């Protein structure tokens, strides 16, 4: 298990800028709807619950949760990116959902009441936490007794990303997103160390297809700007070319 590591001090701003730029096309991604479905399925939502959505992005999870819990329930949705939240606000308005509160801010530093939520959801954002273990302990504190946290992390194999992460490791560059919770055992250890009583850790196949070399190289060019790869992006061009 790796200890929590502080990312570079500019990472929060880089993350917000990156997702600001992706906001208008983010919902076109094929993977995120599948992730949202899995997270919602395991969250066991029901009418009247209080839900927190961490790293809500364009609000896919928050909107789905808001419909399932009804007007007697409530959703608080947090994200760093103002432009992603603009998309989320628009979608909530189009569906006349009034039981969602959107907050722009850092979910790792925001102050929320203890035992305020029945469910905490997080899609694609857990691996971007600068201190994931501390985040889990905070989530545990925010949950009411019997509450559930439902989140995802990339497992193995993670397509071309696994290849790149392993190659980067061979150059002495560890990418935390690839190794933080990439097995069910690591997930269990993380949750148990953070005070959670275990319910279930599941592996789900999100996508399976053959990728040719040109497509793989295109993934590299597209992904190097992602906050999860920041340790790679900081390396000299010669090192990146070797990788």
């Amino acid at each position: 298990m790796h200890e929590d590591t502080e990312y570079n001090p500019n990472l929060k701003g880089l993350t917000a800028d990156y997702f600001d730029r992706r906001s208008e096309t983010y919902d076109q991604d094929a993977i995120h709807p599948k992730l949202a479905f899995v997270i919602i399925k395991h969250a066991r939502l029901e009418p009247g619950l209080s839900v927190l959505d961490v790293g809500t992005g364009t609000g896919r999870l928050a909107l789905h949760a808001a419909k399932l819990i009804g007007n007697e329930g409530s959703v608080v949705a947090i994200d760093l990116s103002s432009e992603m939240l603009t998309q989320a606000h628009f979608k909530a308005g189009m569906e006349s959902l009034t039981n969602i509160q959107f907050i722009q801010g850092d979910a790792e530093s925001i102050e929320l009441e203890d035992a305020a939520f029945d469910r905490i959801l997080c899609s694609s954002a857990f691996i971007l936490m600068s201190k994931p273990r501390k985040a889990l302990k905070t989530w545990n504190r925010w949950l009411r007794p019997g509450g559930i946290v439902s989140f995802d992390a990339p497992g193995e194999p993670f397509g071309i990303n696994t290849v790149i992460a392993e190659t980067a490791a061979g150059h002495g560059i560890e990418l935390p997103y690839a190794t933080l919770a990439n097995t069910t055992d690591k997930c269990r250890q993380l949750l148990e160390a953070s005070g959670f009583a275990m319910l279930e850790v599941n592996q789900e196949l999100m996508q399976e297809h053959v990728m040719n070399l040109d497509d793989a190289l295109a993934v590299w060019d597209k992904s190097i700007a992602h906050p999860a790869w920041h340790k790679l992006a900081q390396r000299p061009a010669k090192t990146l070319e070797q990788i």
Side-chain angles (χ1 to χ4, degrees):
M1 295 294 292
H2 302 279
E3 295 300 320
D4 277 348
T5 303
E6 282 285 6
Y7 292 170
N8 74 66
N10 296 321
L11 186 60
K12 297 295 184 180
L14 292 172
T15 300
D17 290 344
Y18 174 83
F19 286 106
D20 279 348
R21 294 193 300 273
R22 287 195 59 192
S23 60
E24 292 187 3
T25 59
Y26 191 77
D27 284 345
Q28 299 172 14
D29 190 292
I31 292 295
H32 291 111
K34 297 179 182 179
L35 285 174
F37 173 80
V38 170
I39 289 171
I40 290 289
K41 177 178 69 174
H42 293 296
R44 305 182 182 184
L45 296 174
E46 56 190 49
L49 294 182
S50 177
V51 177
L52 174 65
D53 182 17
V54 176
T56 192
T58 59
R60 186 186 302 276
L61 277 180
L63 270 64
H64 197 160
K67 297 171 189 175
L68 292 175
I69 63 175
N71 289 332
E72 60 269 43
S74 63
V75 178
V76 174
I78 305 172
D79 202 272
L80 281 170
S81 167
S82 61
E83 294 302 320
M84 295 286 262
L85 288 178
T86 295
Q87 299 292 326
H89 272 288
F90 175 77
K91 290 193 291 185
M94 289 294 291
E95 300 195 44
S96 300
L97 294 171
T98 59
N99 58 345
I100 309 177
Q101 177 187 6
F102 292 106
I103 299 176
Q104 183 185 0
D106 183 357
E108 292 193 81
S109 61
I110 194 169
E111 296 291 335
L112 298 174
E113 292 184 15
D114 291 353
F117 301 98
D118 300 296
R119 302 288 188 270
I120 295 180
L121 315 178
C122 182
S123 178
S124 302
F126 176 66
I127 58 170
L128 296 179
M129 299 290 167
S130 61
K131 292 188 175 184
R133 285 162 189 75
K134 182 179 179 182
L136 282 176
K137 290 178 180 178
T138 301
W139 295 357
N140 196 6
R141 195 179 74 242
W142 288 342
L143 278 176
R144 293 170 181 157
I148 295 174
V149 59
S150 184
F151 68 95
D152 68 276
E156 292 183 344
F158 190 38
I160 189 64
N161 294 284
T162 293
V163 178
I164 292 170
E166 291 174 349
T167 306
H171 288 259
I173 304 168
E174 183 184 354
L175 302 177
Y177 83 89
T179 57
L180 173 66
N182 58 326
T183 68
T184 54
D185 284 343
K186 285 183 180 180
C187 286
R188 288 191 182 94
Q189 292 173 32
L190 278 169
L191 290 162
E192 289 172 353
S194 303
F196 285 94
M198 289 304 303
L199 187 61
E200 55 188 344
V201 178
N202 297 293
Q203 290 182 314
E204 304 265 358
L205 179 63
M206 292 289 102
Q207 181 172 290
E208 187 175 31
H209 68 273
V210 175
M211 179 178 286
N212 63 42
L213 181 58
D214 288 341
D215 290 339
L217 293 172
V219 168
W220 168 271
D221 292 336
K222 177 182 178 181
S223 297
I224 192 67
H226 193 285
W229 295 34
H230 76 280
K231 286 189 175 183
L232 266 182
Q234 293 172 337
R235 294 307 192 272
K238 184 177 180 180
T239 302
L240 293 178
E241 183 65 23
Q242 291 173 341
I243 294 174

